[in-house]
Amino acid sequence: MQTNIEISRAFMETPDGVMSIHQLSRRLKLPYGTAYNRIHILHEQGIVQMLAQGKAKLCALNPENPMTACLLALGSAQLTEHFIRENPDSGKLLKTIKTNLEANFAGSLVTAILLTPGQLKSIGNHIPGNAGQAEDAETGRELTLDFFYICNDSGFDEAAAENITAGLLPPGLPVKVTSMSLDCSTLLGMFTENENEAGLSAYGMLHEGLIMFGFESFYRLILEAFSRKLGR
């Protein structure tokens, strides 16, 4: 299963989302036989589409199979859980923020992403006995928690979300909370914007973040925007 997750993420980290089995093998440092077998299994499951091109076979994720988004979501959830395990103080704070966002905006918030997990880690490191010194050791600047929210067309109060999150931070920490929210259709339009590769830039920014909830919804949107049908 873990290899399948890594394969799916590899496609999402490739500029055009298309690779041959040889390219995938090199990218993931897998024996060619392993990559070949795994790709064919994923193809049989309908998660990967394949197109013969000479002796090679081009491969891409199949956005029409619901299992594709599930596999990508599982990989992303693993990254979030790894952060929580490796950073107990920051992880506890992340879970508290997540719980409060879900409770207050259950009907309007689809996906919540922390864009600055490194900053949250720094905050966690300053919590025990250093409440007045939560500054970046290298730059001396205040720390910032930047969030990106994908919401329904109406009903989400971004300012209220910022205030709720700021209220959960330990007192005395000089931390600024900022956010940006877009509804699904607007974000989809942004992702499909070709001018100056704006869509890829937007995805790159979100890809570096840490999804708190709404994993599968996020990747369904990503697949709709970027995955293409081979042979069309």
Side-chain angles (χ1 to χ4, degrees):
M1 173 61 76
Q2 192 60 40
T3 301
N4 292 346
I5 291 172
E6 292 172 1
I7 288 172
S8 68
R9 288 186 64 83
F11 282 112
M12 297 307 296
E13 294 169 355
T14 304
D16 62 357
V18 177
M19 286 185 289
S20 68
I21 298 177
H22 278 292
Q23 289 172 325
L24 180 67
S25 172
R26 290 196 299 269
R27 185 180 185 89
L28 295 180
K29 296 180 172 58
L30 291 173
Y32 177 80
T34 300
Y36 180 93
N37 290 334
R38 292 297 181 125
I39 281 292
H40 279 77
I41 290 172
L42 291 171
H43 177 60
E44 290 172 2
Q45 295 173 343
I47 295 172
V48 167
Q49 47 183 325
M50 299 175 64
L51 176 68
Q53 189 175 66
K55 294 183 178 180
K57 290 183 178 179
L58 295 182
C59 308
L61 293 176
N62 178 13
E64 297 180 356
N65 188 339
M67 285 294 295
T68 307
C70 291
L71 195 59
L72 290 165
L74 181 57
S76 185
Q78 286 181 341
L79 294 177
T80 300
E81 183 59 29
H82 177 76
F83 178 91
I84 292 171
R85 288 198 312 268
E86 293 297 310
N87 306 282
D89 292 320
S90 301
K92 183 178 179 181
L93 182 55
L94 182 70
K95 289 193 290 185
T96 300
I97 293 171
K98 167 186 177 294
T99 298
N100 278 268
L101 289 172
E102 287 181 313
N104 284 277
F105 306 102
S108 59
L109 192 53
V110 177
T111 300
I113 304 173
L114 172 63
L115 300 178
T116 53
Q119 299 280 288
L120 181 62
K121 182 177 179 180
S122 295
I123 292 170
N125 292 338
H126 284 83
I127 288 176
N130 294 302
Q133 301 177 14
E135 293 182 346
D136 186 285
E138 295 183 359
T139 66
R141 294 180 298 181
E142 284 186 339
L143 297 171
T144 61
L145 288 182
D146 301 324
F147 295 89
F148 188 90
Y149 300 119
I150 304 175
C151 55
N152 293 325
D153 292 339
S154 61
F156 177 65
D157 189 336
E158 184 179 330
E162 287 185 8
N163 291 333
I164 288 171
T165 300
L168 298 173
L169 300 176
L173 295 180
V175 181
K176 182 178 181 180
V177 178
T178 69
S179 63
M180 178 180 180
S181 62
L182 290 175
D183 61 73
C184 295
S185 59
T186 301
L187 184 58
L188 182 60
M190 180 183 294
F191 281 150
T192 53
E193 175 59 59
N194 292 323
E195 186 174 354
N196 298 322
E197 297 186 335
L200 288 176
S201 297
Y203 170 65
M205 175 189 70
L206 298 183
H207 183 70
E208 296 300 319
L210 202 64
I211 298 178
M212 294 187 288
F213 61 85
F215 300 90
E216 192 172 339
S217 297
F218 175 72
Y219 281 105
R220 283 200 302 264
L221 193 65
I222 295 299
L223 287 167
E224 183 177 353
F226 292 112
S227 292
R228 73 187 204 196
K229 295 298 291 182
L230 293 178
R232 292 186 183 178

